[in-house]
Amino acid sequence: MVNSLETHLSYARMACGLRWIISLQCFGYAASLAVPSHLNSWLLPLQGDAFAGSVDTTIALILWVAGCALPFLGRASLPASQTKWSCPVVRCDAALLCFVAGWTFFNAVLSWQMNIEDKFAATDPFGHAVRFVAPVVLLVCVTGTGYYPKLEGYLRIGIASTFIGHGLAAYWLKPGFVDLIVGTIDTFLGSDWRLAEEREKIALLLLPWIGRIDFLLACLILLPSKYRKTIALWMGIWGFVTATSRLTAFGIERWPDLIIRAANWGIPLLLWWEMRAKIKSSKHS
Amino acid sequence: MKPTTLHLTLLLSISLLKGISANEKTPWLDEKFVNQKTVGLSKLESSNPAQWRVIWKTDPANKATVSWTTAMVGKNHLVHYDLKSRKGFPKNYTYKKVSDRNGRFSGSGGEHFHHARLAELKPSTTYWFVIESDGLFSPEMHFTTAPVNDRSFSVLFGGDSRSGHFARAQVNLLMAALSEENPEIIAFAHGGDYISSGKNWGQWSRWLSQHELTVAASGKVLPIIPTRGNHDGGPLFDEIFDSPGGKERENYFSTRLSSQVALVTLNTETKAGGAQRTWLGKTLQSLRPEVRWLLAEYHRPAWPAVKRPGAAQEFWVPLFEEFDVDLVVESDGHVIKRTVPIRNEKKDSTGVVYVGEGGLGVSQRKPDLSRWYLRSPGMATRGHHVMNIRFTPEKIDYKVVLLDRSIADQAIFRPRKK
Ligand SMILES: [Fe+2]
């Protein structure tokens, strides 16, 4: 009885957290569609600017709606016994989640395919993994077909993939990452072009270690260990720091870059919160 | 003949004549003409020298690289050149230069590149040349080295030739016509995104062949100053343009176009904020007191008309403002744009103007006219185009020429007060 209630609570907590994270992510993706997407670049020579632009606008609109609606469609996120497929709210919820998962996945694949000569872009399907795994997991919660420990496992695989993708890019010294570090140092220590070359050297020293640590964290979150809670917290904080570096390097107008990565930092924090809640409740019982 | 019939006949004749003259001036608007020209490109087979180009990097008054492609490795690759036309008879040319760098294009079916680096050239001098590979010859062509004095000259600028192959051929033919008519035009600065996929040899090969269309009927070649774009990743860019900027500097370099004009080419496809920024600062600092006209060019815009700003805005714009760069040329957005003068992220008459953004054949986009820096006296529109920028002691004359030769935008820039 206690176990069943506990699982129910875990489901509810996870679904609630996922909803807010995915909602934030939707706003980030929608805002980023104010400028042409990878899909737009692909469609442009085939269908022209008007068609490519209208596709972007339509996708943005759906994402804005999803971002607003998802937190309030929470009633549907119950285990199987309480899910009502006949309910239009549940169907709407599922459709939006399918769209969000589809768009985030498609976007990652297109980012790679549209820049096929760029090895860093090839890491995007991994680097973006948690962004499309999160809506899929919530979809499973909604339909009530998932087994809770498995769902948690999928989220851990998603976040590990993201860390491996980013770790690879860091290890290979992605130029964009160097600029994030240099830009952030500039923000805190003052911009000086005479020192820029030295700051680049610092970034080039740091990045391989950042990559190695990302790989290590990805392994640790997958393996069973008593430190998993701490690892999840560490990944959450690090995910937030790296997502925020877009703003510290390039300014507040890059806010969509922070929330588009909501899952990168939100999912490990959610896992940490959930593990903490579980430990607390087991201590009480 | 009744007066009405006479009038009609006259009107018809005038309109026909007008039509003929318009067509003569813009024959590339006719599909048949473009197809004919495309069919007439040199064949890439055996050792036949094809896909010729002249490349300018740092010192175009004294140096130029003549480059070409052969379908097979070959043995003897050289350029015969002279200060006079020798009608293509190789033995009559005074000078020859054996190719300095040869190699197989990455991912190709055996096609090879050849780069003959001509040095110790005389400034403001026309050089006539033929290319030889294993006894097979190109037609005679010529180019003029950059001046070292303050004479007036023009450079064509443009970017994004990547996906519209027909429109690309049309713009190339327009450039050839402009270059033929105007001896003042001495070079062509390409702002990047030559093709869609930088590792695809087939796409590059097509671009290289179509680049022959920029050669005027007289054989006048416009040396190309290459910028790397986001679609030009991979090793082929360096193989095609003989690694502009060298290995250490990843495709960024400055070109001294005359005693009073310098163009700094930057690379938005690598680290922008570190070594490249320090190099840019040092370069602008040393060039600014020496030249009247200081320009920069790179691919991803700092002040885009369509997309969001690239890293250039954060890292390079403060330097352009500190060293009062006169004009910045950007690409990537697939529009025509000219910003208001910008300083400290505001319109300021002492600021820097940014033009662009690529129309050498790629499908055009609709610019976002609500952006503050595009409002009058700035502008933005769309259309395949090339920018003709003329440098004189008194002014920079900037014109955007469309395929039908109409002028989409023009502006004059005066020297900054010292
Ligand atoms: Fe581009």
Side-chain angles (χ1 to χ4, degrees):
Chain A
M1 185 65 197
V2 171
N3 268 351
S4 147
L5 182 69
E6 188 51 43
T7 308
H8 175 86
L9 280 173
S10 293
Y11 258 114
R13 275 197 300 262
M14 185 194 275
C16 176
L18 281 173
R19 278 181 188 284
W20 285 101
I21 291 164
I22 297 163
S23 164
L24 267 182
Q25 177 178 298
C26 285
F27 291 135
Y29 272 103
S32 73
L33 279 161
V35 297
S37 63
H38 297 297
L39 177 62
N40 179 299
S41 296
W42 181 62
L43 285 173
L44 182 70
L46 305 172
Q47 301 290 335
D49 182 47
F51 181 80
S54 61
V55 170
D56 272 358
T57 311
T58 311
I59 294 168
L61 197 70
I62 299 172
L63 289 168
W64 283 118
V65 170
C68 294
L70 281 173
F72 303 103
L73 295 171
R75 278 195 316 145
S77 60
L78 296 167
S81 56
Q82 291 169 49
T83 305
K84 296 183 182 83
W85 262 116
S86 57
C87 173
V89 176
V90 178
R91 278 194 256 162
C92 175
D93 198 10
L96 286 176
L97 287 170
C98 281
F99 184 85
V100 175
W103 174 247
T104 42
F105 175 71
F106 189 49
N107 198 56
V109 172
L110 269 180
S111 168
W112 162 42
Q113 284 298 312
M114 291 299 291
N115 302 286
I116 197 76
E117 62 285 334
D118 180 358
K119 67 177 176 183
F120 300 108
T123 66
D124 282 350
F126 287 101
H128 295 195
V130 74
R131 304 187 207 171
F132 49 81
V133 168
V136 170
V137 168
L138 182 56
L139 190 67
V140 177
C141 279
V142 167
T143 56
T145 49
Y147 168 57
Y148 178 78
K150 261 195 180 173
L151 296 184
E152 198 216 58
Y154 294 148
L155 287 179
R156 282 192 284 114
I157 291 170
I159 196 65
S161 303
T162 293
F163 269 67
I164 287 169
H166 284 85
L168 262 180
Y171 193 75
W172 290 338
L173 309 175
K174 183 175 175 167
F177 287 179
V178 174
D179 282 345
L180 288 179
I181 295 175
V182 173
T184 302
I185 298 176
D186 280 3
T187 301
F188 289 108
L189 300 181
S191 179
D192 185 344
W193 59 264
R194 292 165 195 85
L195 301 174
E197 191 166 4
E198 293 309 310
R199 289 177 183 176
E200 178 180 307
K201 284 179 188 162
I202 295 170
L204 291 172
L205 272 176
L206 287 175
L207 277 172
W209 287 103
I210 291 173
R212 286 183 191 113
I213 294 168
D214 280 356
F215 298 144
L216 185 70
L217 289 170
C219 294
L220 291 175
I221 198 74
L222 290 177
L223 298 172
S225 106
K226 60 175 178 175
Y227 303 113
R228 198 185 262 169
K229 185 170 70 104
T230 317
I231 299 297
L233 179 64
W234 186 0
M235 288 174 110
I237 293 170
W238 182 238
F240 186 76
V241 167
T242 53
T244 310
S245 71
R246 272 83 186 166
L247 279 69
T248 52
F250 294 113
I252 194 77
E253 57 274 22
R254 291 285 182 101
W255 64 267
D257 283 350
L258 172 62
I259 61 169
I260 221 170
R261 291 169 178 77
N264 297 23
W265 45 270
I267 297 298
L269 289 180
L270 179 66
L271 290 172
W272 166 76
W273 182 50
E274 180 52 37
M275 288 175 211
R276 198 167 146 258
K278 260 192 201 167
I279 293 167
K280 265 190 182 173
S281 74
S282 67
K283 272 182 189 165
H284 283 298
S285 61
Chain B
M1 201 180 267
K2 286 179 187 174
T4 45
T5 324
L6 179 69
H7 281 141
L8 274 173
T9 318
L10 271 172
L11 270 173
L12 191 69
S13 320
I14 289 167
S15 54
L16 269 173
L17 275 172
K18 266 188 174 173
I20 288 165
S21 65
N23 200 32
E24 270 173 6
K25 286 207 125 192
T26 54
W28 48 84
L29 296 180
D30 178 8
E31 195 177 335
K32 270 187 205 157
F33 176 84
V34 178
N35 291 339
Q36 247 173 22
K37 285 281 178 183
T38 311
V39 169
L41 297 171
S42 61
K43 296 275 175 289
L44 191 54
E45 52 193 17
S46 67
S47 292
N48 186 43
Q51 304 184 334
W52 39 70
R53 57 211 176 272
V54 174
I55 301 157
W56 276 4
K57 294 172 194 170
T58 51
D59 180 16
N62 303 297
K63 290 176 182 172
T65 302
V66 178
S67 305
W68 67 101
T69 308
T70 52
M72 50 187 274
V73 57
K75 277 183 185 164
N76 299 312
H77 305 285
L78 64 156
V79 175
H80 304 266
Y81 64 105
D82 209 335
L83 296 162
K84 278 183 180 171
S85 166
R86 302 292 180 188
K87 311 279 184 215
F89 294 106
K91 283 182 185 163
N92 294 350
Y93 291 81
T94 310
Y95 311 100
K96 59 182 169 187
K97 180 79 175 78
V98 173
S99 174
D100 296 273
R101 183 184 168 198
N102 307 288
R104 184 187 164 125
F105 280 116
S106 301
S108 74
E111 288 85 354
H112 278 65
F113 57 83
H114 312 284
H115 298 293
R117 297 169 189 145
L118 311 187
E120 294 176 24
L121 303 175
K122 291 177 184 168
S124 258
T125 303
T126 299
Y127 282 86
W128 301 76
F129 67 96
V130 292
I131 300 166
E132 177 185 355
S133 275
D134 293 347
L136 296 172
F137 297 91
S138 73
E140 184 185 61
M141 289 171 276
H142 63 273
F143 70 93
T144 304
T145 50
V148 284
N149 59 14
D150 196 13
R151 81 165 170 89
S152 304
F153 66 93
S154 300
V155 174
L156 298 181
F157 284 79
D160 295 86
S161 51
R162 66 186 175 95
S163 45
H165 302 130
F166 182 75
R168 181 164 80 192
Q170 288 181 301
V171 185
N172 285 357
L173 290 163
L174 165 69
M175 285 197 280
L178 294 173
S179 148
E180 187 84 304
E181 291 157 14
N182 185 354
E184 277 199 346
I185 299 177
I186 58 166
F188 163 45
H190 195 304
D193 276 6
Y194 304 74
I195 36 75
S196 291
S197 180
K199 278 188 180 167
N200 185 319
W201 162 247
Q203 289 183 14
W204 272 113
S205 182
R206 190 170 187 173
W207 182 87
L208 283 163
S209 289
Q210 284 194 328
H211 183 65
E212 285 181 19
L213 296 173
T214 63
V215 179
S218 69
K220 181 183 171 187
V221 179
L222 286 178
I224 188 164
I225 305 168
T227 308
R228 198 193 269 265
N230 59 306
H231 285 270
D232 312 322
L236 283 164
F237 179 86
D238 280 341
E239 292 165 4
I240 286 161
F241 297 116
D242 197 20
S243 308
K247 273 191 181 159
E248 190 187 325
R249 286 186 198 131
E250 302 162 278
N251 306 137
Y252 53 91
F253 55 99
S254 76
T255 309
R256 191 67 176 257
L257 289 166
S258 80
S259 62
Q260 291 296 329
V261 184
L263 170 66
V264 179
T265 300
L266 296 163
N267 182 3
T268 51
E269 307 317 305
T270 185
K271 305 169 285 285
Q276 187 170 197
R277 178 161 55 137
T278 299
W279 174 86
L280 175 65
K282 284 180 185 166
T283 303
L284 295 180
Q285 193 175 42
S286 69
L287 284 172
R288 183 66 283 182
E290 291 177 15
V291 296
R292 182 186 311 110
W293 303 120
L294 184 51
L295 282 83
E297 178 169 45
Y298 49 85
H299 186 69
R300 291 196 217 217
W303 300 103
V306 180
K307 300 185 181 179
R308 66 179 190 177
Q313 193 188 69
E314 178 71 21
F315 296 123
W316 301 342
V317 163
L319 292 172
F320 299 153
E321 292 174 6
E322 182 178 344
F323 296 107
D324 289 324
V325 168
D326 294 284
L327 189 63
V328 177
V329 186
E330 305 181 321
S331 287
D332 193 43
H334 314 175
V335 293
I336 300 167
K337 74 115 189 264
R338 177 170 46 81
T339 69
V340 299
I342 300 170
R343 190 177 290 281
N344 297 322
E345 299 185 21
K346 283 198 291 277
K347 183 178 155 191
D348 182 324
S349 59
T350 70
V352 181
V353 173
Y354 300 75
V355 296
E357 293 179 17
L360 294 177
V362 78
S363 314
Q364 291 288 289
R365 285 197 167 102
K366 204 173 120 201
D368 179 358
L369 295 168
S370 66
R371 298 186 184 187
W372 64 267
Y373 47 84
L374 298 177
R375 292 194 195 136
S376 182
M379 63 77 70
T381 182
R382 54 193 288 171
H384 299 303
H385 68 276
V386 63
M387 293 175 268
N388 187 354
I389 303 183
R390 182 167 182 259
F391 302 91
T392 75
E394 297 79 32
K395 60 182 180 180
I396 287 179
D397 229 326
Y398 163 84
K399 282 193 177 93
V400 179
V401 187
L402 298 178
L403 276 178
D404 63 359
R405 286 179 180 260
S406 59
I407 304 298
D409 183 34
Q410 54 188 323
I412 285 172
F413 303 94
R414 299 285 175 192
R416 291 181 185 275
K417 288 188 184 98
K418 292 193 178 162

